[in-house]
């Protein structure tokens, strides 16, 4: 998958990845009592580590060393672990949305300066 070169595109991409991870974690909780269910997770640190932005670098450091992939494991789903990972994901989402807000504010400032 190609990472966009512009900051807004990169941030949107990060938000998409965070959303996909949240879906995987939610699925784990929903299926924790399902026989033969295999835990899933999405890690995207190496994928984002190739980008130059500070947001991507921070997310890369937080998410661990694996590339973007749906990982399955034979470990039993632990609700406490899943909830903890969901909380971490929520913090990353907050950082990404603040970054997007900052980018939009910068664009509005540039547009307003050009109109003055």
């Amino acid at each position: 998958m190609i990472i966009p070169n512009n900051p807004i595109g990169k941030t949107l991409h990060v938000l998409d990845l965070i959303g996909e991870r949240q879906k995987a974690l939610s699925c784990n909780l929903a299926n924790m009592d399902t026989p033969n269910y295999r835990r899933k997770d999405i890690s995207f640190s190496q994928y984002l580590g190739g980008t130059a932005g500070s947001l991507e670098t921070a997310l890369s450091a937080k998410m661990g060393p694996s590339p973007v992939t749906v990982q399955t494991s034979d470990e039993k789903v632990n609700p406490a672990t899943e909830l903890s990972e969901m909380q971490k994901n929520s913090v990353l989402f907050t950082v990404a949305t603040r970054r997007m807000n900052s980018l939009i504010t910068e664009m509005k400032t540039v547009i307003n300066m050009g109109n003055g």
Side-chain angles (χ1 to χ4, degrees), residues 25-40:
L25 296 171
S26 298
C27 189
N28 291 340
L29 281 173
N31 290 293
M32 67 185 195
D33 292 327
T34 303
N36 299 321
Y37 178 77
R38 297 181 70 187
R39 183 183 183 278
K40 297 176 182 149

Side-chain angles (χ1 to χ4, degrees), residues 59-87:
L59 287 172
S60 178
K62 298 270 185 201
M63 299 300 290
S66 301
V68 176
T69 183
V70 175
Q71 302 168 339
T72 58
S73 68
D74 290 328
E75 68 185 76
K76 185 171 169 60
V77 175
N78 179 342
T81 301
E82 298 304 315
L83 291 172
S84 173
E85 290 302 314
M86 289 177 88
Q87 190 66 22

Side-chain angles (χ1 to χ4, degrees), residues 36-52:
N36 299 321
Y37 178 77
R38 297 181 70 187
R39 183 183 183 278
K40 297 176 182 149
D41 199 357
I42 296 175
S43 180
F44 48 89
S45 63
Q46 287 181 357
Y47 186 70
L48 294 176
T51 61

Side-chain angles (χ1 to χ4, degrees), residues 17-25 41-42 63 85 89:
L17 291 170
I18 291 169
E20 289 302 313
R21 182 159 195 254
Q22 195 73 7
K23 285 179 194 175
L25 296 171
D41 199 357
I42 296 175
M63 299 300 290
E85 290 302 314
N89 214 41

